[in-house]
Amino acid sequence: MRSTKEGENAPSKSRASPSDVPQASESNMEKSVSLESKLTDMDSNLGAWDVGMLTWSPSTWIAQAQVSETRMAKAQAWETLALARITLQPKPSVTELATVTTLKQEPSKLVNRTSKESSEGYLPRQLWASKVEYILAIMGYLMMPSGVLRFVSGWVHKGNCSFFIAYIFMLLGIGIPLLFLEMAVGQRAQQSSVDMWKNLNPWFGGVGYSMVMVCFITNTYLNVFNSWILFYMSHIFYFVVPWDQCPLQRNSSNFDPECEQATSYTYFWYRQTLKASDRIEDGGQPSFSVGMFLFLSCCLICAFLFNGIKSIGKILCVLLLVPYCIIVCFLIRTLSMDGAEYGLKHLLILKVASISDLTIWCHAGIQVLFDIGLGFGPIVSLASHVPDFNNCMADAFLMALFKIITLLMTTPFLLSILGFWATTTTHHCCKKNQEKLLRLIAQGILPPEAQPPDLRVNPTSTYNSWLSSLPPPLRSAILSVVPECSVQKQFLKIKDNPRFLFLIFTEVISLLPGSGFWTVLFFLLLLTLGMCSNLMFMLGNVLTLQDTFPFCRRQPRLLTVCVSMVMFLCGLIFIQPSGIYYYSLLSECWVAVPIIIIIICENLAVAWAYGADRFLAGMVALLGRPIFSGCGWLWCYVSPMVVLGLLTSVFVYLVKGPLVYFAWDSSTSKEVVRVFPAWSKILIAGLTVFVLMPIPAYFVYCLTLGIPFRSTPSSKLPLGSGQIQSTKEASKDILQDYKTES
C-alpha cells in the first residue's frame, strides 16, 4: 500500500525544480529497495514496475514534470471557462444565496456535473467554425423579403427621405443597442434562449418559452411564402408562362370568362395558385398543388440543417451571394427603363413637415425592430455558439451597416420598377380610354367635342393635358364613363404584402425584353431571400430545443426532421382556400404585439432586474475593451420608453380602425377590400395571450415564493484579471479543437 501511495504522489513531486530531481530520484531508489525486501511475496509484475522506477533517469523526470505542468495549466483554464459559462449568475433558489462559492470549491462540483452530463449522453456545445460563418448566419437572418418591401412601402407612403431620417434615428436609438443586448446575453450565457433568461433573472424565465412559440409560428407562415415561389417557378419553363394570358375553357377555344373580367396575373394568383375563397369564413381542403411545394420547401430546409451549424456556413455563402448578384443585375437593367426616373425621384423628395409626424416615427421604429429581427430568438441562439470574448458590440454595428446597405441597394431597384410599371400601366389606361371615347362618340352617347387627341407620342401627358383643358361639364361627363389615368395614383398602389410581389412584379417582368430570363432571376431572388430567413428561424428553434432537452441533443437530426414535419402540418392551414387571409391576419395584425412585449421584457431583464451597469462591467471584463458608456443609459431609459410607445401605437391601430384585407370576389372577378370579422380580433388576442402566458406565469411564481426582482451584486461572475485571460485562452482552445474536429 505504501508503494502505491508513493506512485500516486509522483506527479506532485514532478513539479520540483530540475536541480532537485536527482535527489528525489535517489531517495525513491532507496525506498524502493527497502520495500522490495519486505514485499517479496507479491506479484512479479509489481516488482517489474518497481525496477522500471529505479531505472528512470533525471531527464525522464524533467520531461514528465513539463508535461504535467502543461496539463495542469490546461485543466485550470478549462475549469475557469466552464465555471464562467455555467450561468450568468448562480441559479437562484427560494432564498437568494448570500455569498458566491469560491473557485476552489467549484472544481469538485464541476467534475460531478460533467460526469453526470456525460452519463446522460450530452454532447459538448458546438461553436461556429469561424467568425465569418457566424456573421453570415446573422446576415441571412436579416434578409427577409417582407422587410425590404415594407421599407420601400414606408418610404413611398410615409414621407420619402423623412421616413429614412426617422429610420436612422430609431436604428441608432433602439435598434443597435437592443441588437447588442441580445448578442451579448446569448454570447455570455452560452445557453439556450429558454435557460438563459431563467438564470439571468427568474422573474423573466418565461421570455424564452414565448420566444420559441412566436418564432415557430412566424417561421411556419413564412415558409408558405416559399411554397408560393416554388409553385410559380414550376411554371417558368413553359413557352408562355400561364400568368401572361388567360386559360382556355375546357373543350372550347374561348378564354375563361372569369379571367377575362379580371387580369391574367390576378386570376393566376387567386384562382390557380391560392384557389382562394371569397371570404375568410369560407374554408375548404388544402391545395394539393401548393401542398407539394410546401412539403418540398420543408424538405429543403431540413436538408440544409441536417448537420447543424457545421455546414450551414457554406450553404449561406451561396444563398447570400446569389441575391446580391441578381439585385445588381436588376438595378442595371431597370435604370434604363421608361418611367424609371419617375420612381427614382422619390429618393430625393424630403417633406420637412412630415418629420414632426408621430405616425412616421412609430412606423420607422416598428420597421427597425422587424428589420433587425429582435424578439424572435434566433439572434440569441446563434450568438450563444460563439466564444464569450467575441466583440459583439462591433458585430451589432456591422449588422446595422449591412442592413442599411442592403436597403439602399434594393430601394432604387424597386422604385425604378414601380416607376416603369406605373408609367406603362397609365399609358395603357389612356389608350383604352381613347378607344372607348371614340366608340361612345360614334354611338352618339358623347358629343363630338369629346374627341380624344392622338396618343402615339407620350400618351399619358398628352391625354391628361387634353382632359384638363376641357370645360368642367364635359370633363365630368367623360370621367363618368372612363376611369382617371394617373401615374401618381398608380405608383402609390404599392403595398407591403406578398400579393404585390406576385401580381405587380410578374406583370412588370413580362413587359421586359427577354422576360423569361428575368422571370427566372426574379423568383430565384425571392427564393434565396426567403430560404435564408427561414433557415435561421428554423435553426434558432432547433438549437434551443437541443440545449433544453437531453434527448434532442442526442438526436439532432431526428429533431430537425420532426420540427420540419410539424411545421409542414401546421402550414396546411395557410394553403386552404382562406389560408391567404389567415396569413395576412397573422403577418399584418398579430405578430407585432407579442414581439414588442418580448423586447420590452428582454430590456427590463437586463437593464433593471440584472442591472445594466453590472452586465456591462462583466462584458468589459470578458471583451477586454471599453464599451460605449451611453449604452446602459439607452437600455435603462430610452429603449423601454420608445418601445412602450410603439406598443401603444400598435394597440391604437388594432382597436381604433377596422382591420381589412384584400380578397377575391368571384361574382365580379375582381380584387376587393373586405373587413376582418369580429371573431378575428378575438383569435389574434387569444393567440397573443397563449404565446405570452409563460411570462406572467413566472411573475406569479416568483412573487409567490418571494424571490426579489433585482438580483444582488453577490451573484456577479467571479472573474478576476488573471482568470479572464485564462477564460479567453481556454475559449480559443475550444474553438481550435472544434475547427480540428470539423
Side-chain angles (χ1 to χ4, degrees):
M1 293 294 294
R2 290 180 60 189
S3 63
T4 305
K5 290 180 181 179
E6 291 293 333
E8 290 176 352
N9 291 333
S12 62
K13 291 182 179 181
S14 66
R15 298 181 186 178
S17 61
S19 62
D20 297 334
V21 171
Q23 298 178 3
S25 177
E26 293 174 1
S27 62
N28 285 337
M29 290 171 61
E30 294 174 357
K31 290 180 181 180
S32 299
V33 171
S34 62
L35 286 172
E36 194 174 21
S37 62
K38 294 179 181 180
L39 301 174
T40 55
D41 55 337
M42 293 187 65
D43 188 73
S44 59
N45 289 335
L46 181 60
W49 182 82
D50 286 330
V51 173
M53 279 190 62
L54 293 172
T55 58
W56 277 6
S57 63
S59 60
T60 305
W61 281 94
I62 294 174
Q64 291 293 330
Q66 292 175 350
V67 171
S68 178
E69 288 176 356
T70 303
R71 289 179 177 175
M72 291 298 294
K74 276 194 173 184
Q76 290 176 358
W78 274 81
E79 255 179 29
T80 306
L81 174 65
L83 292 175
R85 285 180 173 175
I86 289 174
T87 53
L88 288 175
Q89 62 183 66
K91 197 170 184 178
S93 58
V94 178
T95 57
E96 182 120 8
L97 294 176
T99 58
V100 180
T101 307
T102 60
L103 280 173
K104 294 182 180 180
Q105 296 172 336
E106 289 292 342
S108 60
K109 297 180 181 179
L110 181 62
V111 170
N112 293 335
R113 174 174 176 170
T114 304
S115 61
K116 180 180 178 182
E117 290 181 351
S118 300
S119 63
E120 292 178 355
Y122 284 107
L123 298 176
R125 188 173 187 82
Q126 291 184 348
L127 297 180
W128 293 99
S130 65
K131 177 68 174 288
V132 175
E133 291 192 3
Y134 167 64
I135 294 298
L136 288 176
I138 300 294
M139 290 169 63
Y141 175 65
L142 302 183
M143 294 289 290
M144 289 179 277
S146 58
V148 175
L149 187 60
R150 192 184 302 116
F151 178 84
V152 177
S153 177
W155 188 297
V156 172
H157 293 288
K158 303 297 182 182
N160 303 114
C161 289
S162 303
F163 172 76
F164 185 64
I165 293 173
Y167 182 90
I168 294 297
F169 274 98
M170 283 292 183
L171 184 64
L172 295 174
I174 63 173
I176 296 177
L178 292 178
L179 179 60
F180 168 61
L181 183 146
E182 287 200 356
M183 287 181 169
V185 169
Q187 176 179 309
R188 188 178 176 189
Q190 300 284 303
Q191 292 175 328
S192 68
S193 59
V194 171
D195 294 331
M196 69 175 60
W197 297 107
K198 297 178 186 177
N199 297 328
L200 185 71
N201 188 281
W203 281 75
F204 296 92
V207 173
Y209 295 100
S210 297
M211 275 184 172
V212 171
M213 288 187 284
V214 175
C215 182
F216 178 79
I217 295 173
T218 305
N219 191 32
T220 299
Y221 68 74
L222 286 181
N223 192 42
V224 178
F225 179 80
N226 293 335
S227 68
W228 296 332
I229 298 172
L230 291 172
F231 180 80
Y232 267 77
M233 291 186 72
S234 66
H235 294 82
I236 60 178
F237 298 104
Y238 285 74
F239 183 75
V240 178
V241 289
W243 53 83
D244 269 354
Q245 63 181 16
C246 291
L248 297 174
Q249 288 182 301
R250 184 173 297 179
N251 300 326
S252 175
S253 59
N254 298 325
F255 291 110
D256 190 311
E258 188 178 10
C259 179
E260 287 187 315
Q261 293 180 17
T263 64
S264 58
Y265 307 99
T266 307
Y267 179 83
F268 185 84
W269 168 244
Y270 279 107
R271 302 303 291 165
Q272 296 191 2
T273 303
L274 304 176
K275 296 179 172 58
S277 59
D278 287 3
R279 294 175 179 81
I280 191 174
E281 297 91 344
D282 303 331
Q285 297 294 326
S287 171
F288 178 76
S289 56
V290 179
M292 290 191 303
F293 292 103
L294 178 63
F295 182 77
L296 176 60
S297 177
C298 293
C299 290
L300 287 175
I301 293 175
C302 180
F304 290 154
L305 295 179
F306 208 60
N307 292 323
I309 63 175
K310 289 184 178 180
S311 60
I312 194 65
K314 303 175 182 63
I315 297 171
L316 288 173
C317 286
V318 178
L319 291 180
L320 285 173
L321 182 62
V322 170
Y324 279 97
C325 295
I326 296 176
I327 289 173
V328 171
C329 294
F330 266 109
L331 186 60
I332 296 173
R333 178 64 186 88
T334 55
L335 289 178
S336 60
M337 294 191 307
D338 182 27
E341 66 279 359
Y342 181 84
L344 292 174
K345 75 178 184 180
H346 287 77
L347 292 172
L348 306 176
I349 297 177
L350 175 62
K351 299 178 181 179
V352 180
S354 61
I355 296 180
S356 60
D357 188 359
L358 281 179
T359 306
I360 293 178
W361 288 88
C362 291
H363 191 90
I366 295 173
Q367 178 70 29
V368 166
L369 298 182
F370 279 93
D371 276 354
I372 299 181
L374 299 173
F376 290 99
I379 291 178
V380 179
S381 297
L382 297 177
S384 68
H385 290 265
V386 296
D388 52 11
F389 56 87
N390 175 61
N391 189 356
C392 50
M393 173 65 81
D395 294 343
F397 276 97
L398 178 63
M399 291 301 100
L401 180 62
F402 161 76
K403 192 64 184 181
I404 292 176
I405 293 175
T406 302
L407 293 175
L408 292 180
M409 283 182 62
T410 54
T411 300
F413 150 60
L414 294 175
L415 289 179
S416 59
I417 282 187
L418 284 174
F420 170 73
W421 172 74
T423 303
T424 305
T425 306
T426 308
H427 288 346
H428 183 65
C429 173
C430 294
K431 292 178 179 179
K432 286 185 67 175
N433 286 356
Q434 180 193 37
E435 295 175 0
K436 188 172 183 178
L437 289 176
L438 291 174
R439 188 169 59 254
L440 293 176
I441 292 173
Q443 295 173 357
I445 299 176
L446 290 178
E449 291 80 7
Q451 177 78 23
D454 185 12
L455 301 180
R456 284 180 292 183
V457 179
N458 200 353
T460 301
S461 178
T462 304
Y463 176 82
N464 287 329
S465 299
W466 165 78
L467 188 63
S468 60
S469 64
L470 296 176
L474 182 59
R475 182 168 62 250
S476 300
I478 292 175
L479 292 177
S480 64
V481 294
V482 295
E484 183 181 2
C485 300
S486 171
V487 178
Q488 181 68 16
K489 290 183 178 180
Q490 198 71 19
F491 186 82
L492 294 177
K493 286 184 178 181
I494 177 176
K495 302 294 180 182
D496 54 346
N497 50 38
R499 54 171 287 279
F500 183 80
L501 290 174
F502 291 100
L503 291 179
I504 305 304
F505 276 77
T506 51
E507 181 180 354
V508 171
I509 293 174
S510 65
L511 300 175
L512 296 176
S515 59
F517 171 75
W518 295 106
T519 301
V520 173
L521 288 186
F522 173 70
F523 285 111
L524 187 60
L525 169 65
L526 293 182
L527 183 63
T528 51
L529 292 178
M531 278 293 175
C532 281
S533 57
N534 276 108
L535 278 174
M536 294 304 103
F537 272 104
M538 182 76 167
L539 184 60
N541 270 334
V542 169
L543 292 177
T544 300
L545 293 175
Q546 287 180 5
D547 290 341
T548 306
F549 303 103
F551 173 78
C552 296
R553 183 180 295 185
R554 291 193 296 266
Q555 302 292 337
R557 295 181 176 179
L558 179 60
L559 172 66
T560 304
V561 173
C562 291
V563 174
S564 300
M565 291 303 100
V566 173
M567 183 174 64
F568 164 72
L569 294 176
C570 295
L572 296 177
I573 300 173
F574 302 101
I575 61 173
Q576 59 166 330
S578 59
I580 181 62
Y581 310 137
Y582 286 100
Y583 182 99
S584 301
L585 182 66
L586 293 183
S587 62
E588 298 175 12
C589 305
W590 170 75
V591 69
V593 173
I595 284 300
I596 295 178
I597 292 177
I598 289 173
I599 293 172
I600 293 175
C601 292
E602 287 180 342
N603 201 346
L604 294 178
V606 175
W608 291 99
Y610 187 83
D613 293 338
R614 285 177 53 210
F615 187 85
L616 290 175
M619 291 304 299
V620 169
L622 286 173
L623 300 180
R625 58 176 63 86
I627 297 177
F628 174 55
S629 57
C631 192
W633 179 75
L634 291 174
W635 284 354
C636 291
Y637 304 105
V638 177
S639 297
M641 296 302 297
V642 173
V643 178
L644 188 61
L646 298 179
L647 180 63
T648 304
S649 68
V650 173
F651 276 129
V652 170
Y653 165 75
L654 294 176
V655 175
K656 183 179 179 181
L659 305 180
V660 298
Y661 64 99
F662 289 93
W664 176 257
D665 187 359
S666 58
S667 59
T668 60
S669 299
K670 290 183 180 179
E671 190 180 45
V672 295
V673 178
R674 300 191 189 278
V675 179
F676 279 112
W679 59 262
S680 63
K681 291 187 178 181
I682 300 176
L683 177 64
I684 60 176
L687 187 58
T688 302
V689 172
F690 173 74
V691 299
L692 296 178
M693 184 61 69
I695 297 177
Y698 268 83
F699 282 0
V700 174
Y701 172 77
C702 294
L703 186 63
T704 304
L705 297 180
I707 299 175
F709 177 78
R710 189 173 178 86
S711 305
T712 59
S714 61
S715 61
K716 191 189 305 182
L717 283 175
L719 290 176
S721 59
Q723 294 164 358
I724 294 170
Q725 183 64 27
S726 299
T727 301
K728 291 184 177 181
E729 292 174 358
S731 298
K732 292 177 181 178
D733 289 340
I734 295 175
L735 182 59
Q736 186 63 34
D737 291 342
Y738 177 74
K739 289 181 180 179
T740 304
E741 293 174 2
S742 59

